Amino acid sequence: MTSSDLTMSHKTPFLTHEVHNVPEPMPAYNAWTSDLALREAVTREGGAWAEASLTRYGALAGCELMELGRLANENRPKLRSFDRYGRRLDEVEFHPAYHEVMRQAMKHGVHSFSWRHEDQVGAHVARAGLVYLGAQPEAGTSCPLTMTHAAIPSLRQAPELAAAWIPRILSTEYDPRMLPMAQKTAVTIGMGMTEKQGGSDVRSNTTRAHRQADGSYELVGHKFFFSAPMCDAHLVLAQAEGGLSCFLMPRLLPDGTRNAVHIQRLKDKLGDWSNASSEVEFLGATAYLVGPEGRGVATILEMVALTRLDCILGSAALMRQATVQALHHTAQRSAFGRKLVDQPLMRNVLADLALESEAAVALAMRVARAVDASPRDPQEAALARLITAVGKYWVCKRTPTLINEAQECLGGIGYVEENILPRLYRQAPLNSIWEGSGNVQCLDVLRTLHKEPQARDALFAELASATGQHAAFDQHLGRLQQAFADPSTLEVRSRRVVEHMALALQAAILIKAGNPAVSDAFCASRLGGDHGLVLGTLGAQVPLTALITRATPC
Ligand SMILES: Cc1cc2nc3c(=O)[nH]c(=O)nc-3n(C[C@H](O)[C@H](O)[C@H](O)COP(=O)(O)OP(=O)(O)OC[C@H]3O[C@@H](n4cnc5c(N)ncnc54)[C@H](O)[C@@H]3O)c2cc1C
């Protein structure tokens, strides 16, 4: 190497080439104010009064939480089974970034906003906006946050427990200290249903609960999936004398000793790396009955109804983040003499990502409104039971496909760990699996339709209010009504029927939202057949620029 070479190497980092045509890193952005589809959906469904909270959290989600999310996932939680002297610890150690993401989420009310503002119409919608914002930079923490939020309706079935635990759930602090509940400023709650022999069929649970003289129960058995084991308590199912029952199992007993819950190991998961999911054994662990004995499934289903809503929100959030990344990259990268975002075929892909992502958030927020209105409005309550399962099935199923397509927009680096897309891709299948996998959601839809005819009436009333504006929608609705004509084959056809319900609902919401660029493209492609089996196959008449501009963070 000559001295002139060395001089050159000070000026440019490489001797052989200059780095050009590579995008700048994503600048900090406000994930709320820059997301038109989200803001319109939250406004439409009644949560716009929380604008100030959403703006504050949106600023974090598009900035600090991005880097914290990276760190929390690169530094995965570690199980500490024993201390150096061989005493049991059964603790999970997290990177400080994990704790900071949790602290910020709880400060902004991701786990509690809807309950703290329960008297205000739209509180669940506003909180849904917070969930959607937080899951974009870091999805693993959504697990303990959503379970903590969802535990409240079940806990309310045990008034004494509720009086002690709920005020600490509603706290906007984050208190990860290993202390008994009474000494803490804030608590988190998990859920334990799945055992080795069955997760969908929880009635096959074998964990036993023995009533003690003081009214508490002693649990002996195991859970095969037990996420967020550092939560202060878990709602768990176990067989008591009166049948399968729901219990609150604290991590520490009131005297400060550890409950008899051994963490056997942490799951080595495809994704969801910041979150710890464990296998546990209960060796006579102390727990307290929630709801009546024998009513465990009904009791814990109140929790599951809310965690399923968060699966829809979480998946919609992953789609949004992937779409944002694809838009950012293609706006700065050129090939064959033109920016990627200006290439006609890439425009079709980007517009289709935007459309799918907007339909997902629109449906998620509509489900949130139904959940919000449930205590006041029996029709919305029936609708919530139906469309939570419909939305979870469909939105979660669409997510891996969309994220893979967004990855491809970035070319090779979309497959490389230094950007967020591989992490989004690994996370993508999870919401479809837990809280009831795809088939279980479809069977749940059939069960609700069978048991609650008013749910079906509520859905068709909702769909009917969007007719007369798009021929493809009207025809699709006719076909959907026919789909129920032969009940004897309904179960085997149920995936297709639920898909058609979801598409009809998304179309109806978008039609009523009043932006024809979006609703016409959706109806023509998803209902009218003017679309292929992959994304990026919109018809030539679709206003691609309008869809891309609308989705680009502004
Ligand atoms: C990362 C991770 C974390 C988790 N954390 C928790 C947790 O904290 N707490 C907890 O309780 N669980 C947790 N789970 C477990 C999860 O909820 C279950 O894995 C899920 O409910 C499926 O249960 P299973 O694994 O036993 O599968 P199975 O019940 O054996 O089901 C296997 C497949 O069969 C399908 N199936 C079931 N019944 C039918 C039917 N009648 N007709 C057609 N198809 C059917 C299901 O849809 C599924 O696709 C977690 C799972 C994962 C992956």
Side-chain angles (χ1 to χ4, degrees):
M1 191 179 280
T2 66
S3 61
S4 68
D5 286 341
L6 279 173
T7 313
M8 273 295 290
S9 76
H10 284 296
K11 287 188 187 152
T12 61
F14 296 98
L15 289 174
T16 54
H17 62 283
E18 275 180 29
V19 179
H20 70 106
N21 190 30
V22 294
E24 292 299 317
M26 271 283 289
Y29 71 107
N30 187 312
W32 163 256
T33 56
S34 66
D35 187 341
L36 211 48
L38 170 64
R39 277 171 31 220
E40 287 181 10
V42 168
T43 303
R44 204 162 50 230
E45 310 302 355
W49 52 266
E51 169 106 43
S53 300
L54 290 159
T55 303
R56 277 194 296 274
Y57 197 50
L60 276 180
C63 186
E64 287 99 321
L65 293 183
M66 296 294 283
E67 177 60 4
L68 290 169
R70 183 184 72 77
L71 289 168
N73 282 275
E74 277 186 16
N75 300 279
R76 292 160 74 170
K78 293 190 182 75
L79 175 60
R80 301 283 180 224
S81 300
F82 304 97
D83 73 6
R84 72 180 80 166
Y85 302 106
R87 283 182 293 246
R88 284 207 78 95
L89 280 178
D90 295 296
E91 289 179 18
V92 179
E93 191 177 276
F94 293 92
H95 188 269
Y98 171 91
H99 291 298
E100 184 57 18
V101 175
M102 285 294 290
R103 197 176 69 77
Q104 290 296 346
M106 293 184 78
K107 178 177 165 189
H108 289 83
V110 173
H111 68 302
S112 65
F113 193 92
S114 44
W115 306 124
R116 283 191 292 109
H117 300 274
E118 208 169 352
D119 296 340
Q120 274 172 273
V121 172
H124 278 278
V125 178
R127 184 227 162 225
L130 295 169
V131 173
Y132 183 82
L133 293 171
Q136 292 185 54
E138 207 303 283
T141 39
S142 300
C143 174
L145 292 165
T146 192
M147 292 193 292
T148 302
H149 173 257
I152 292 211
S154 301
L155 266 178
R156 282 180 175 161
Q157 297 194 33
E160 266 185 48
L161 293 174
W165 286 83
I166 289 181
R168 291 172 174 85
I169 293 178
L170 299 189
S171 166
T172 51
E173 292 185 20
Y174 171 56
D175 184 352
R177 292 175 300 164
M178 283 280 287
L179 290 173
M181 172 270 291
Q183 296 176 37
K184 296 194 66 162
T185 56
V187 294
T188 50
I189 310 285
M191 170 169 59
M193 296 191 289
T194 308
E195 297 186 1
K196 289 173 186 169
Q197 71 284 353
S200 308
D201 183 7
V202 291
R203 289 187 194 278
S204 69
N205 272 194
T206 60
T207 297
R208 296 176 311 281
H210 307 283
R211 194 176 160 88
Q212 305 297 295
D214 65 357
S216 69
Y217 287 72
E218 205 177 76
L219 267 56
V220 177
H222 78 285
K223 295 291 163 187
F224 192 43
F225 282 91
F226 197 72
S227 286
M230 293 300 285
C231 284
D232 295 283
H234 283 73
L235 285 174
V236 299
L237 291 181
Q239 304 284 357
E241 216 174 286
L244 194 60
S245 310
C246 180
F247 298 91
L248 182 79
M249 174 185 278
R251 186 157 166 59
L252 294 182
L253 299 176
D255 65 5
T257 54
R258 286 168 162 74
N259 206 351
V261 178
H262 287 182
I263 304 177
Q264 307 293 72
R265 59 174 171 167
L266 296 189
K267 299 283 193 191
D268 187 4
K269 296 177 285 185
L270 166 69
D272 194 46
W273 285 352
S274 64
N275 179 35
S277 300
S278 66
E279 294 172 22
V280 289
E281 207 171 351
F282 306 145
L283 299 101
T286 300
Y288 307 96
L289 186 66
V290 178
E293 263 196 25
R295 297 284 301 155
V297 174
T299 304
I300 212 158
L301 275 181
E302 298 221 24
M303 179 174 186
V304 173
L306 290 176
T307 57
R308 285 180 178 170
L309 164 62
D310 282 15
C311 290
I312 311 175
L313 290 162
S315 289
L318 297 176
M319 287 198 211
R320 170 64 184 164
Q321 183 56 218
T323 304
V324 166
Q325 296 288 338
L327 289 166
H328 171 75
H329 180 89
T330 53
Q332 296 191 36
R333 177 82 161 180
S334 297
F336 304 104
R338 261 201 294 189
K339 289 270 188 288
L340 289 173
V341 72
D342 296 327
Q343 311 270 1
L345 189 50
M346 181 59 90
R347 294 180 74 65
N348 198 325
V349 174
L350 294 170
D352 220 0
L353 295 180
L355 192 57
E356 191 68 30
S357 168
E358 172 151 5
V361 72
L363 178 53
M365 292 303 159
R366 178 64 186 91
V367 177
R369 169 154 70 94
V371 167
D372 189 81
S374 290
R376 303 179 296 275
D377 181 341
Q379 176 147 331
E380 285 290 308
L383 190 64
R385 279 190 287 281
L386 187 63
I387 67 177
T388 301
V390 169
K392 180 176 183 307
Y393 173 74
W394 183 241
V395 173
C396 301
K397 279 267 174 263
R398 296 295 282 168
T399 309
T401 307
L402 182 142
I403 292 175
N404 172 231
E405 209 57 72
Q407 247 175 339
E408 200 167 312
C409 294
L410 274 70
I413 64 158
Y415 198 67
V416 173
E417 288 293 340
E418 282 154 346
N419 74 76
I420 196 174
L421 276 154
R423 169 149 58 94
L424 298 179
Y425 190 65
R426 283 194 300 270
Q427 191 76 23
L430 181 52
N431 282 326
S432 185
I433 294 174
W434 61 11
E435 308 307 314
S437 309
N439 288 354
V440 169
Q441 298 307 311
C442 292
L443 297 175
D444 203 46
V445 168
L446 298 191
R447 199 173 305 113
T448 304
L449 288 171
H450 180 70
K451 279 176 54 184
E452 297 184 62
Q454 69 274 31
R456 182 172 158 178
D457 296 344
L459 175 68
F460 278 102
E462 176 90 6
L463 299 178
S465 65
T467 51
Q469 296 184 54
H470 206 292
F473 176 76
D474 295 352
Q475 284 159 14
H476 180 82
L477 195 49
R479 285 194 299 271
L480 184 60
Q481 273 154 340
Q482 287 307 310
F484 299 98
D486 178 10
S488 69
T489 60
L490 204 47
E491 183 168 335
V492 76
R493 292 184 290 115
S494 58
R495 275 191 175 225
R496 203 149 11 136
V497 173
V498 175
E499 174 178 324
H500 288 171
M501 289 166 87
L503 289 172
L505 196 51
Q506 288 181 314
I509 298 164
L510 295 177
I511 289 171
K512 289 197 286 179
N515 184 336
V518 178
S519 57
D520 288 356
F522 190 86
C523 290
S525 58
R526 272 60 171 176
L527 307 182
D530 192 9
H531 200 260
L533 289 178
V534 296
L535 291 166
T537 51
L538 293 168
Q541 81 294 346
V542 168
L544 303 178
T545 303
L547 296 180
I548 292 170
T549 307
R550 181 173 165 76
T552 302
C554 46

